[in-house]
Amino acid sequence: MPAYYQFIKREQLEGGVSVAHYQPTKHAQGAWNEHEQHMAPATGLLTAELESYAPQANMRIARISLDILGLIPLDEFTVTTRCIRPGRTIELIEAVMSSRGRDAIIARAWRLLTQDTSEIAGLEDQKALYQPEDLPVWDGMKGWPGGFIESVHLVAEPDRRAGRGMVWITNDVEMVEGETTDDLVHLMGMVDTANGVVPRLGLGLSKLQWMFPNTDLQIHMHRAPKGRWLGIEAVQQYGDDGIGLTSAVLHDVHGPFGRSEQILTIRPMPR
């Protein structure tokens, strides 16, 4: 089975610091530039490193915050993972992706204590009207170039439009070659596409006169997601001073499980 990344080696340093070395494949290629990685699979890999770092059975990741420090090279890189704030009920861990002598992404995750709160559980986000198997194939994302976009399969609800809509996405690519990808990593590895499923300026990089890349990705999860389909109920908004926001309710086939936010820098396409 194809994969987004090839594992090279891992080093264990003092203080519990883990340094993993990876090589991206063509499937991790981004949409804005052919020599960069797409943020989506990079998020999935960083989630995998955070999830596997000194796990505790009674805690889970509730929030992942990723800051994009610049172009993510489609080249060999390292992920350095450490614990910032240890704890038995609340813990903060960090994974930094670095390539060509500089940091590209800083990811931090809060792990929180899990316990039975079923008697007071309640949601305001509504379950999606359709399941992915009920919807037609949507090829709108195929107007974007890059190996990552080629790797995904999408369906869309009939009222999807520029600026708002519901899209379901999945793929048949493992995150790391030779390793089975669990549900959390699989789904987190597609969340960044929220910024491309309802663009206000239309679909397809070749047709755009404005760029709207995100400089961060924030993911909050009130429960652990399950399954292989990610539902993205997205809204994209542009301000009048060059800054925008893409917000989404995140679904799996069982219902909503969290939300994501991406702040956008809006600028003219280079000519």
Side-chain angles (χ1 to χ4, degrees), residues 116-206:
D116 184 7
T117 53
S118 56
E119 67 177 273
I120 59 168
L123 301 178
E124 296 298 330
D125 290 332
Q126 299 298 305
K127 191 171 183 179
L129 294 176
Y130 304 90
Q131 289 290 289
E133 62 268 20
D134 301 326
L135 296 168
V137 171
W138 182 65
D139 60 3
M141 286 283 283
K142 300 305 179 180
W144 294 88
F148 174 74
I149 298 302
E150 290 180 2
S151 76
V152 297
H153 313 290
L154 301 104
V155 298
E157 293 196 356
D159 59 352
R160 191 215 70 84
R161 60 171 174 80
R164 181 184 289 270
M166 178 78 175
V167 170
W168 291 87
I169 180 170
T170 191
N171 67 74
D172 299 319
V173 181
E174 298 289 8
M175 190 57 60
V176 179
E177 187 175 79
E179 299 181 14
T180 301
T181 306
D182 68 24
D183 289 351
L184 175 66
V185 171
H186 177 77
L187 295 175
M188 293 302 98
M190 298 181 291
V191 174
D192 186 71
T193 57
N195 196 36
V197 298
V198 292
R200 301 194 67 82
L201 299 174
L203 294 160
L205 181 60
S206 62

XYZ file of all heavy atoms in Angstrom, residues 116-206:
692
model
N -15.806 8.620 32.935
C -17.184 8.434 32.485
C -18.022 9.666 32.823
O -18.303 9.946 33.990
C -17.781 7.189 33.139
C -19.180 6.894 32.620
O -19.622 7.566 31.666
O -19.834 5.986 33.170
N -18.422 10.398 31.773
C -19.320 11.546 31.953
C -20.586 11.364 31.116
O -21.235 12.332 30.723
C -18.611 12.862 31.568
O -18.071 12.736 30.236
C -17.486 13.180 32.531
N -20.940 10.106 30.809
C -22.069 9.824 29.925
C -23.386 10.366 30.459
O -24.279 10.729 29.686
C -22.177 8.314 29.678
O -22.286 7.602 30.898
N -23.551 10.464 31.780
C -24.831 10.908 32.335
C -25.095 12.391 32.107
O -26.244 12.842 32.203
C -24.912 10.582 33.826
C -23.936 11.346 34.700
C -24.133 11.004 36.183
O -24.978 11.667 36.820
O -23.455 10.082 36.663
N -24.066 13.165 31.767
C -24.275 14.595 31.503
C -23.854 14.973 30.080
O -23.813 16.154 29.731
C -23.502 15.467 32.506
C -21.985 15.177 32.458
C -24.054 15.295 33.906
C -21.148 16.182 33.197
N -23.543 13.992 29.256
C -23.080 14.272 27.895
C -24.170 14.964 27.083
O -25.356 14.654 27.215
C -22.661 12.979 27.209
N -23.783 15.918 26.249
C -24.732 16.616 25.386
C -24.006 17.418 24.332
O -22.928 17.958 24.588
N -24.561 17.491 23.122
C -23.955 18.199 22.006
C -24.919 19.217 21.430
O -26.137 19.013 21.440
C -23.544 17.221 20.898
C -22.553 16.112 21.247
C -22.316 15.236 20.018
C -21.244 16.691 21.752
N -24.370 20.307 20.913
C -25.148 21.299 20.173
C -24.915 21.172 18.672
O -25.805 21.491 17.882
C -24.790 22.713 20.638
C -25.139 22.987 22.095
C -26.616 22.880 22.400
O -27.437 23.158 21.492
O -26.963 22.502 23.532
N -23.721 20.728 18.256
C -23.473 20.479 16.833
C -24.337 19.317 16.373
O -24.437 18.284 17.057
C -21.994 20.160 16.593
C -21.107 21.373 16.785
O -21.593 22.500 16.568
O -19.932 21.199 17.166
N -24.960 19.473 15.214
C -25.907 18.483 14.712
C -25.215 17.423 13.854
O -24.229 17.692 13.176
C -26.996 19.164 13.876
C -27.811 20.186 14.657
C -28.567 19.564 15.808
O -29.323 18.622 15.634
N -28.361 20.099 17.012
N -25.759 16.219 13.890
C -25.246 15.141 13.040
C -25.502 15.478 11.582
O -26.514 16.102 11.233
C -25.923 13.818 13.413
C -25.282 12.592 12.794
C -25.859 11.303 13.375
C -25.160 10.093 12.787
N -25.682 8.821 13.361
N -24.595 15.050 10.710
C -24.726 15.325 9.277
C -25.997 14.691 8.715
O -26.443 13.628 9.174
C -23.503 14.801 8.534
N -26.571 15.331 7.706
C -27.806 14.836 7.100
C -27.575 13.570 6.295
O -28.473 12.735 6.153
C -28.401 15.919 6.188
C -28.900 17.188 6.879
C -29.366 18.201 5.832
C -30.023 16.862 7.855
N -26.359 13.417 5.736
C -26.063 12.284 4.864
C -24.824 11.543 5.355
O -23.924 12.140 5.948
C -25.789 12.761 3.426
C -26.896 13.578 2.802
C -26.919 14.963 2.930
C -27.902 12.969 2.063
C -27.934 15.726 2.341
C -28.911 13.711 1.471
C -28.927 15.094 1.618
O -29.920 15.836 1.035
N -24.779 10.261 5.076
C -23.568 9.474 5.253
C -22.791 9.497 3.937
O -23.369 9.697 2.860
C -23.911 8.034 5.640
C -24.456 7.895 7.057
C -23.396 8.144 8.122
O -22.492 7.340 8.318
N -23.497 9.268 8.822
N -21.475 9.330 3.996
C -20.685 9.466 2.761
C -21.106 8.515 1.650
O -21.049 8.877 0.462
C -19.245 9.199 3.221
C -19.355 8.624 4.589
C -20.611 9.118 5.168
N -21.573 7.308 1.998
C -21.967 6.358 0.957
C -23.246 6.784 0.228
O -23.583 6.238 -0.831
C -22.141 4.957 1.543
C -23.228 4.828 2.587
C -22.725 5.032 4.001
O -21.642 5.636 4.183
O -23.421 4.591 4.946
N -23.957 7.779 0.778
C -25.190 8.258 0.155
C -24.958 9.400 -0.829
O -25.914 9.851 -1.476
C -26.174 8.743 1.228
C -26.542 7.663 2.221
O -26.613 6.487 1.813
O -26.742 7.991 3.408
N -23.719 9.864 -0.936
C -23.432 11.079 -1.699
C -22.614 10.786 -2.952
O -21.827 9.836 -2.990
C -22.676 12.074 -0.812
C -23.460 12.593 0.393
C -22.536 13.335 1.349
C -24.597 13.498 -0.067
N -22.747 11.627 -3.981
C -21.986 11.428 -5.211
C -20.537 11.876 -5.057
O -20.211 12.725 -4.224
C -22.723 12.312 -6.224
C -23.316 13.413 -5.390
C -23.701 12.752 -4.091
N -19.679 11.297 -5.874
C -18.270 11.698 -5.910
C -18.181 13.179 -6.247
O -18.909 13.694 -7.106
C -17.506 10.865 -6.963
C -16.098 11.410 -7.162
C -17.455 9.401 -6.529
N -17.297 13.873 -5.549
C -17.068 15.301 -5.792
C -15.612 15.475 -6.199
O -14.702 15.124 -5.462
C -17.366 16.113 -4.531
C -17.195 17.592 -4.712
C -17.921 18.411 -5.516
C -16.227 18.421 -4.063
N -17.482 19.705 -5.415
C -16.443 19.738 -4.528
C -15.213 18.185 -3.134
C -15.664 20.811 -4.090
C -14.449 19.253 -2.699
C -14.673 20.555 -3.178
N -15.416 16.003 -7.411
C -14.054 16.139 -7.933
C -13.571 17.584 -7.940
O -12.588 17.920 -8.600
C -13.942 15.543 -9.336
C -14.863 16.221 -10.347
O -15.558 17.196 -9.977
O -14.888 15.784 -11.512
N -14.238 18.451 -7.164
C -13.859 19.863 -7.156
C -12.443 20.101 -6.685
O -11.768 21.020 -7.165
N -11.954 19.273 -5.748
C -10.589 19.456 -5.251
C -9.545 19.087 -6.289
O -8.378 19.459 -6.163
C -10.374 18.608 -3.995
C -11.058 19.137 -2.756
S -10.203 20.545 -2.005
C -8.848 19.720 -1.186
N -9.950 18.331 -7.314
C -8.977 17.875 -8.306
C -8.463 19.015 -9.181
O -7.540 18.827 -9.969
C -9.588 16.774 -9.174
C -10.020 15.542 -8.372
C -8.886 14.957 -7.546
C -9.349 13.746 -6.740
N -8.263 13.152 -5.935
N -9.040 20.210 -9.029
C -8.487 21.370 -9.707
C -7.201 21.860 -9.077
O -6.505 22.705 -9.642
N -6.890 21.330 -7.884
C -5.644 21.664 -7.206
C -4.570 20.649 -7.567
O -4.846 19.456 -7.654
C -5.847 21.669 -5.692
C -6.765 22.742 -5.212
C -8.119 22.674 -5.100
C -6.384 24.051 -4.782
N -8.621 23.861 -4.624
C -7.574 24.728 -4.415
C -5.161 24.709 -4.655
C -7.572 26.033 -3.939
C -5.163 26.012 -4.179
C -6.353 26.661 -3.831
N -3.329 21.069 -7.768
C -2.261 20.130 -8.090
C -1.702 19.467 -6.834
O -2.117 19.771 -5.709
C -1.204 21.033 -8.740
C -1.381 22.359 -8.045
C -2.861 22.475 -7.787
N -0.745 18.575 -7.038
C -0.016 17.980 -5.917
C -0.407 16.556 -5.614
O -1.547 16.130 -5.832
N 0.564 15.803 -5.101
C 0.359 14.398 -4.820
C -0.655 14.119 -3.741
O -1.350 13.095 -3.786
N -0.764 15.015 -2.742
C -1.737 14.753 -1.688
C -3.154 14.815 -2.229
O -3.977 13.933 -1.940
C -1.593 15.728 -0.520
C -2.685 15.546 0.504
C -2.669 14.451 1.349
C -3.744 16.438 0.580
C -3.703 14.253 2.264
C -4.766 16.244 1.492
C -4.741 15.152 2.339
N -3.475 15.838 -3.013
C -4.824 15.963 -3.555
C -5.156 14.763 -4.438
O -6.291 14.272 -4.441
C -4.984 17.279 -4.331
C -4.775 18.475 -3.397
C -6.355 17.363 -5.000
C -5.705 18.527 -2.214
N -4.178 14.259 -5.167
C -4.404 13.078 -5.995
C -4.744 11.852 -5.153
O -5.415 10.926 -5.626
C -3.166 12.780 -6.845
C -2.902 13.782 -7.952
C -1.667 13.424 -8.762
O -1.048 12.373 -8.462
O -1.320 14.175 -9.686
N -4.314 11.836 -3.902
C -4.462 10.639 -3.065
C -5.816 10.528 -2.377
O -6.131 9.474 -1.827
C -3.360 10.621 -1.996
O -3.621 11.548 -0.943
N -6.614 11.591 -2.375
C -7.839 11.582 -1.584
C -9.075 11.348 -2.437
O -9.086 11.597 -3.642
C -7.995 12.898 -0.786
C -6.860 13.044 0.207
C -8.061 14.105 -1.718
N -10.130 10.849 -1.778
C -11.431 10.622 -2.402
C -12.450 11.472 -1.655
O -12.473 11.480 -0.419
C -11.817 9.151 -2.326
C -10.728 8.208 -2.725
N -10.279 8.076 -4.019
C -9.976 7.359 -1.980
C -9.315 7.184 -4.063
N -9.101 6.735 -2.839
N -13.323 12.175 -2.398
C -14.266 13.086 -1.771
C -15.670 12.893 -2.304
O -15.881 12.554 -3.477
C -13.850 14.542 -1.997
C -12.484 14.962 -1.476
C -11.500 15.086 -2.630
C -12.561 16.276 -0.719
N -16.648 13.135 -1.421
C -18.054 13.263 -1.797
C -18.566 14.520 -1.117
O -17.996 14.970 -0.119
C -18.884 12.025 -1.381
C -18.385 10.773 -2.081
C -18.867 11.837 0.140
N -19.624 15.103 -1.656
C -20.113 16.375 -1.103
C -21.628 16.383 -1.014
O -22.327 15.783 -1.842
C -19.639 17.542 -1.970
N -22.138 17.083 0.013
C -23.572 17.268 0.129
C -24.050 18.233 -0.959
O -23.283 19.099 -1.422
C -23.931 17.773 1.528
C -23.652 16.742 2.606
C -24.333 17.042 3.932
O -24.977 18.106 4.042
O -24.207 16.208 4.845
N -25.297 18.128 -1.392
C -25.764 18.883 -2.566
C -25.753 20.395 -2.401
O -25.693 21.114 -3.403
C -27.192 18.353 -2.773
C -27.581 17.713 -1.481
C -26.328 17.193 -0.888
N -25.797 20.901 -1.176
C -25.842 22.350 -1.001
C -24.462 22.969 -0.752
O -24.364 24.138 -0.362
C -26.801 22.727 0.128
C -26.412 22.102 1.471
O -25.484 21.263 1.484
O -27.042 22.448 2.489
N -23.396 22.213 -0.976
C -22.048 22.788 -0.853
C -21.901 23.925 -1.854
O -22.307 23.817 -3.010
C -20.989 21.715 -1.136
C -19.561 22.158 -0.758
C -18.518 21.604 -1.725
N -18.627 22.233 -3.024
C -18.064 23.417 -3.347
N -17.331 24.079 -2.471
N -18.233 23.927 -4.553
N -21.329 25.044 -1.408
C -21.124 26.201 -2.285
C -19.849 26.905 -1.870
O -19.216 26.551 -0.866
C -22.304 27.165 -2.188
C -22.544 27.716 -0.781
C -23.571 28.833 -0.790
N -23.947 29.299 0.533
C -23.232 30.157 1.279
N -22.060 30.628 0.827
N -23.662 30.540 2.465
N -19.451 27.917 -2.633
C -18.295 28.721 -2.258
C -18.583 29.412 -0.925
O -19.568 30.132 -0.792
C -17.997 29.756 -3.334
N -17.737 29.164 0.072
C -17.904 29.797 1.373
C -18.531 28.932 2.444
O -18.319 29.182 3.636
N -19.292 27.911 2.068
C -19.956 27.069 3.078
C -20.343 25.725 2.470
O -20.740 25.653 1.299
C -21.204 27.766 3.617
C -21.954 26.975 4.682
C -23.237 27.683 5.110
N -22.944 28.885 5.891
C -22.806 28.906 7.226
N -22.920 27.790 7.922
N -22.561 30.034 7.858
N -20.262 24.676 3.280
C -20.733 23.381 2.808
C -20.138 22.222 3.573
O -19.261 22.386 4.419
N -20.657 21.027 3.262
C -20.250 19.791 3.915
C -19.641 18.856 2.886
O -20.269 18.533 1.867
C -21.467 19.124 4.567
C -21.188 17.803 5.229
S -20.393 18.015 6.836
C -20.333 16.315 7.418
N -18.407 18.426 3.162
C -17.688 17.499 2.288
C -17.146 16.365 3.140
O -16.724 16.577 4.284
C -16.533 18.231 1.560
C -15.633 17.251 0.833
C -17.085 19.265 0.583
N -17.166 15.151 2.597
C -16.558 13.988 3.241
C -15.308 13.593 2.472
O -15.298 13.650 1.242
C -17.524 12.808 3.271
C -18.701 12.988 4.178
C -19.893 13.577 3.872
C -18.798 12.550 5.541
N -20.733 13.541 4.962
C -20.094 12.914 5.995
C -17.937 11.897 6.419
C -20.533 12.642 7.284
C -18.373 11.620 7.702
C -19.647 11.990 8.133
N -14.261 13.198 3.184
C -12.982 12.894 2.550
C -12.355 11.654 3.186
O -12.481 11.425 4.393
C -12.028 14.116 2.659
C -10.675 13.828 1.995
C -11.833 14.552 4.103
C -9.797 15.069 1.871
N -11.692 10.837 2.369
C -10.937 9.693 2.859
C -9.790 9.426 1.896
O -9.655 10.090 0.868
C -11.832 8.445 3.025
O -11.102 7.429 3.739
C -12.289 7.896 1.687
N -8.947 8.461 2.229
C -7.852 8.058 1.350
C -7.459 6.620 1.650
O -7.844 6.059 2.678
C -6.642 9.000 1.492
C -5.980 8.893 2.841
O -5.278 7.923 3.137
N -6.190 9.899 3.693
N -6.707 6.033 0.738
C -6.239 4.653 0.880
C -4.720 4.605 1.036
O -4.087 3.633 0.622
C -6.656 3.826 -0.338
C -8.163 3.761 -0.516
O -8.867 3.611 0.497
O -8.634 3.880 -1.660
N -4.150 5.638 1.632
C -2.698 5.753 1.771
C -2.332 5.667 3.250
O -2.925 6.371 4.076
C -2.200 7.084 1.167
C -0.690 7.210 1.279
C -2.638 7.201 -0.293
N -1.361 4.811 3.587
C -0.891 4.747 4.975
C -0.091 6.001 5.296
O 0.506 6.613 4.410
C -0.014 3.508 5.191
C -0.725 2.188 4.972
C -1.738 1.851 6.049
O -2.022 2.689 6.920
O -2.275 0.726 5.999
N -0.058 6.391 6.571
C 0.712 7.571 6.946
C 2.209 7.277 6.844
O 2.972 8.095 6.307
C 0.355 8.009 8.363
C 0.917 9.369 8.750
S 0.405 10.716 7.644
C -1.381 10.658 7.833
N 2.643 6.125 7.362
C 4.052 5.727 7.320
C 4.151 4.359 6.665
O 3.389 3.447 6.995
C 4.662 5.682 8.738
C 6.117 5.237 8.681
C 4.547 7.050 9.408
N 5.069 4.230 5.752
C 5.238 2.985 5.004
C 5.473 1.805 5.943
O 6.301 1.867 6.855
C 6.428 3.135 4.052
C 6.622 1.980 3.095
C 7.749 2.268 2.119
O 8.928 2.117 2.527
O 7.461 2.637 0.963
N 4.707 0.724 5.742
C 4.874 -0.485 6.530
C 4.185 -0.465 7.875
O 4.300 -1.434 8.635
N 3.456 0.614 8.200
C 2.762 0.712 9.479
C 1.266 0.935 9.246
O 0.876 1.679 8.348
C 3.315 1.871 10.322
C 4.798 1.739 10.670
C 5.288 2.894 11.520
O 4.442 3.639 12.049
O 6.515 3.040 11.648
N 0.447 0.292 10.060
C -0.994 0.486 9.973
C -1.375 1.817 10.618
O -0.961 2.111 11.737
C -1.741 -0.656 10.678
O -1.384 -1.896 10.057
C -3.246 -0.458 10.580
N -2.145 2.617 9.912
C -2.540 3.940 10.393
C -3.819 3.835 11.210
O -4.842 3.365 10.712
C -2.767 4.903 9.215
O -1.607 4.910 8.378
C -3.057 6.315 9.697
N -3.777 4.282 12.471
C -4.996 4.215 13.290
C -5.962 5.333 12.901
O -5.625 6.239 12.136
C -4.671 4.213 14.786
C -4.096 5.533 15.298
O -4.337 6.591 14.685
O -3.401 5.508 16.337
N -7.170 5.261 13.437
C -8.224 6.183 13.021
C -7.882 7.640 13.319
O -8.130 8.528 12.493
C -9.542 5.821 13.703
C -10.149 4.524 13.161
O -9.640 4.010 12.150
O -11.120 4.033 13.764
N -7.348 7.921 14.511
C -7.036 9.304 14.865
C -6.048 9.909 13.877
O -6.266 11.010 13.350
C -6.477 9.384 16.287
C -6.008 10.778 16.724
C -7.192 11.740 16.803
C -5.271 10.718 18.057
N -4.963 9.205 13.609
C -3.936 9.718 12.697
C -4.500 9.854 11.285
O -4.261 10.856 10.595
C -2.698 8.797 12.716
C -1.714 9.182 11.617
C -2.022 8.851 14.086
N -5.269 8.852 10.855
C -5.868 8.893 9.514
C -6.752 10.121 9.343
O -6.646 10.848 8.341
C -6.685 7.620 9.295
C -7.403 7.557 7.985
N -6.779 7.273 6.797
C -8.717 7.765 7.680
C -7.665 7.294 5.808
N -8.847 7.596 6.321
N -7.609 10.391 10.327
C -8.543 11.510 10.212
C -7.852 12.857 10.400
O -8.130 13.809 9.660
C -9.680 11.334 11.210
C -10.575 10.116 10.967
C -11.599 9.976 12.076
C -11.266 10.187 9.617
N -6.914 12.952 11.359
C -6.201 14.213 11.551
C -5.363 14.558 10.314
O -5.106 15.730 10.037
C -5.305 14.135 12.787
C -6.050 14.028 14.119
S -7.196 15.405 14.451
C -8.765 14.672 13.936
N -4.959 13.544 9.570
C -4.168 13.766 8.366
C -4.944 14.310 7.193
O -4.389 14.432 6.088
N -6.220 14.660 7.400
C -7.028 15.255 6.337
C -7.696 16.561 6.752
O -8.310 17.234 5.920
C -8.093 14.250 5.869
C -7.514 12.965 5.279
S -8.763 11.789 4.683
C -9.500 11.245 6.245
N -7.605 16.945 8.016
C -8.341 18.114 8.517
C -7.933 19.403 7.805
O -8.770 20.273 7.545
C -8.152 18.260 10.045
C -8.795 19.549 10.546
C -8.743 17.062 10.775
N -6.661 19.537 7.457
C -6.197 20.775 6.827
C -6.893 21.061 5.504
O -6.914 22.208 5.049
C -4.680 20.723 6.621
C -4.118 22.035 6.110
O -4.082 23.021 6.879
O -3.731 22.102 4.912
N -7.491 20.052 4.878
C -8.195 20.282 3.616
C -9.436 21.154 3.799
O -10.022 21.606 2.812
C -8.620 18.951 2.967
O -9.426 18.209 3.887
C -7.404 18.124 2.582
N -9.844 21.412 5.047
C -10.996 22.293 5.284
C -10.831 23.616 4.551
O -11.808 24.208 4.083
C -11.178 22.531 6.781
N -9.593 24.094 4.440
C -9.352 25.381 3.793
C -9.545 25.331 2.286
O -9.573 26.381 1.638
C -7.938 25.875 4.108
C -7.753 27.332 3.797
O -8.671 28.133 3.982
N -6.577 27.704 3.311
N -9.687 24.125 1.708
C -9.820 24.028 0.258
C -11.138 23.478 -0.240
O -11.347 23.393 -1.447
N -12.052 23.116 0.673
C -13.280 22.467 0.211
C -14.422 23.447 -0.065
O -15.365 23.105 -0.780
C -13.741 21.369 1.198
C -12.705 20.279 1.309
C -14.080 21.946 2.568
N -14.345 24.671 0.501
C -15.385 25.675 0.222
C -14.756 27.046 -0.057
O -15.212 28.064 0.468
C -16.413 25.782 1.381
C -17.244 24.522 1.487
C -15.726 26.084 2.706
N -13.708 27.118 -0.887
C -13.043 28.411 -1.083
C -13.986 29.451 -1.680
O -14.746 29.171 -2.600
C -11.892 28.073 -2.039
C -12.341 26.844 -2.752
C -13.132 26.061 -1.743
N -13.922 30.662 -1.132
C -14.806 31.719 -1.595
C -14.460 32.171 -3.013
O -15.302 32.764 -3.704
C -14.728 32.924 -0.647
C -15.105 32.612 0.799
C -15.343 33.890 1.576
N -16.527 34.587 1.092
C -17.770 34.292 1.459
N -17.994 33.306 2.308
N -18.776 34.975 0.986
N -13.225 31.910 -3.432
C -12.764 32.402 -4.732
C -12.866 31.357 -5.832
O -12.352 31.544 -6.915
C -11.309 32.876 -4.606
C -11.106 34.021 -3.617
C -9.629 34.332 -3.457
C -11.851 35.264 -4.082
N -13.516 30.239 -5.558
C -13.648 29.203 -6.568
C -12.598 28.118 -6.405
O -11.773 28.149 -5.495
N -12.637 27.146 -7.294
C -11.802 25.950 -7.187
C -10.737 25.924 -8.268
O -10.958 26.340 -9.398
C -12.677 24.703 -7.303
C -13.673 24.513 -6.154
C -14.800 23.590 -6.561
C -12.954 23.980 -4.935
N -9.560 25.416 -7.909
C -8.496 25.245 -8.890
C -7.450 26.334 -8.803
O -7.731 27.520 -8.964
N -6.216 25.932 -8.541
C -5.136 26.896 -8.356
C -4.901 27.744 -9.588
O -4.644 28.945 -9.494
C -3.847 26.138 -7.989
C -2.591 26.973 -7.725
C -2.815 27.923 -6.562
C -1.400 26.055 -7.426
N -5.017 27.168 -10.778
C -4.720 27.893 -12.017
C -5.704 29.026 -12.284
O -5.404 29.946 -13.044
C -4.715 26.928 -13.203
O -6.001 26.341 -13.371
